[in-house]
């Protein structure tokens, strides 16, 4: 499914979020706080827009994704960046040694993993002691009225926006279903703690449509 939507993925995301995806990506990059010389894993990187944003800091960034179609599109767009590499990877069985990365991040991808708790443990394994975790994921708006309007938009409007933008609308039917089934902010925070991470915290973006989760691996 992700291979099929790769070419129009970024365009559709911008359309269906009314441009908020750009703001969310910027917030994620600030939360990761990449520095020159650091090694950073962007897991579930998709077309590598988030990876390129991180790599502009001078950090060495690995864009990893399960979808070869997404990676191919990302490499087509951003392959000229010398400090950005591309790796096909399963989030539940990462092909990296222990304690490889100074920071690890996922944006809108943990929800798509068949065993997200195992993915959190794998991210912990490949992170250096003292390293950082940042996860940006669709979440549950805390306000009841806004939450209702948001769910209506996802169910009735979002697939139509995807089709108008030239993308497979059925894929975005899946997106709505996955968001409904995904745990809220507090439950995801608990999963992160269970995986071993410390200093776990989150903040809502755009009324809680997405939540930015942060944590650190104990030294």
């Amino acid at each position: 499914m992700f291979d099929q939507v790769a070419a129009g993925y970024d365009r559709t995301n911008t359309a269906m979020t009314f441009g908020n995806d750009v703001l969310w990506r910027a917030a994620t990059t600030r939360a990761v706080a990449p520095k020159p010389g650091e090694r950073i894993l962007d897991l579930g990187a998709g077309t590598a827009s988030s990876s390129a944003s991180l790599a502009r800091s001078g950090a060495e960034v690995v864009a990893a994704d399960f979808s070869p179609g997404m990676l191919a599109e990302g490499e087509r767009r951003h392959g000229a960046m010398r400090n950005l590499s591309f790796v096909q990877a399963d989030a539940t069985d990462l092909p990296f040694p222990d304690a490889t990365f100074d920071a690890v991040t996922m944006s809108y991808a943990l929800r798509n993993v068949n065993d997200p708790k195992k993915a959190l443990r794998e991210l912990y394994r490949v992170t250096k002691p003292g390293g950082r975790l940042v996860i940006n994921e669709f979440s549950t708006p805390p306000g009841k009225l806004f939450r209702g309007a948001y769910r209506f938009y996802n169910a009735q409007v979002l697939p139509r926006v995807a089709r108008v933008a030239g993308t497979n609308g059925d894929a975005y039917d899946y997106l709505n279903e996955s968001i409904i089934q995904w745990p809220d902010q507090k439950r995801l925070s608990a999963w992160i703690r269970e995986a071993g991470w410390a200093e776990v915290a989150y903040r809502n973006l755009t009324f809680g449509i997405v939540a930015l989760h942060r944590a650190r691996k104990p030294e």
Side-chain angles (χ1 to χ4, degrees):
M1 180 185 71
F2 285 101
D3 288 348
Q4 293 172 3
V5 302
Y9 186 72
D10 290 343
R11 179 180 66 249
T12 304
N13 285 347
T14 299
M16 74 181 189
T17 66
F18 301 101
N20 276 287
D21 64 315
V22 177
L23 301 178
W24 298 340
R25 187 181 309 120
T28 302
T29 300
R30 288 195 298 271
V32 175
K35 300 176 181 63
E38 288 189 327
R39 293 202 69 196
I40 297 175
L41 172 64
D42 186 15
L43 184 58
T47 59
S49 295
S50 55
S51 309
S53 179
L54 294 166
R56 291 187 187 102
S57 69
E60 295 291 329
V61 179
V62 177
D65 201 282
F66 192 70
S67 164
M70 284 286 194
L71 285 176
E73 183 66 19
E75 194 160 9
R76 184 184 71 81
R77 297 182 186 188
H78 307 292
M81 299 185 75
R82 294 183 178 180
N83 57 329
L84 177 59
S85 57
F86 299 83
V87 176
Q88 187 175 0
D90 180 348
T92 63
D93 186 19
L94 293 174
F96 308 110
D98 294 355
T100 298
F101 298 99
D102 297 285
V104 293
T105 183
M106 293 184 79
S107 294
Y108 324 113
L110 185 61
R111 191 185 70 260
N112 299 317
V113 178
N114 62 355
D115 190 343
K117 290 184 177 182
K118 188 174 182 181
L120 289 169
R121 293 193 298 269
E122 275 292 275
L123 286 170
Y124 184 90
R125 179 184 66 79
V126 302
T127 302
K128 297 176 182 178
R132 313 182 298 280
L133 168 74
V134 175
I135 292 178
N136 198 359
E137 186 55 90
F138 287 104
S139 200
T140 304
K144 186 176 180 180
L145 289 177
F146 184 80
R147 183 166 64 246
Y150 172 60
R151 288 179 174 171
F152 174 83
Y153 172 80
N154 278 355
Q156 302 298 326
V157 180
L158 187 149
R160 291 177 172 85
V161 172
R163 290 184 177 93
V164 170
T167 308
N168 181 355
D170 293 340
Y172 289 86
D173 286 331
Y174 157 77
L175 173 62
N176 178 48
E177 293 167 5
S178 68
I179 290 173
I180 290 173
Q181 296 170 9
W182 187 245
D184 65 12
Q185 293 89 322
K186 291 183 179 179
R187 189 175 173 199
L188 179 53
S189 294
W191 286 4
I192 294 171
R193 289 189 189 94
E194 289 171 10
W197 297 93
E199 302 177 34
V200 179
Y202 74 87
R203 69 182 180 96
N204 291 324
L205 303 178
T206 316
F207 306 106
I209 290 177
V210 301
L212 193 61
H213 293 258
R214 303 172 69 172
R216 188 174 295 272
K217 184 173 180 176
E219 296 195 42

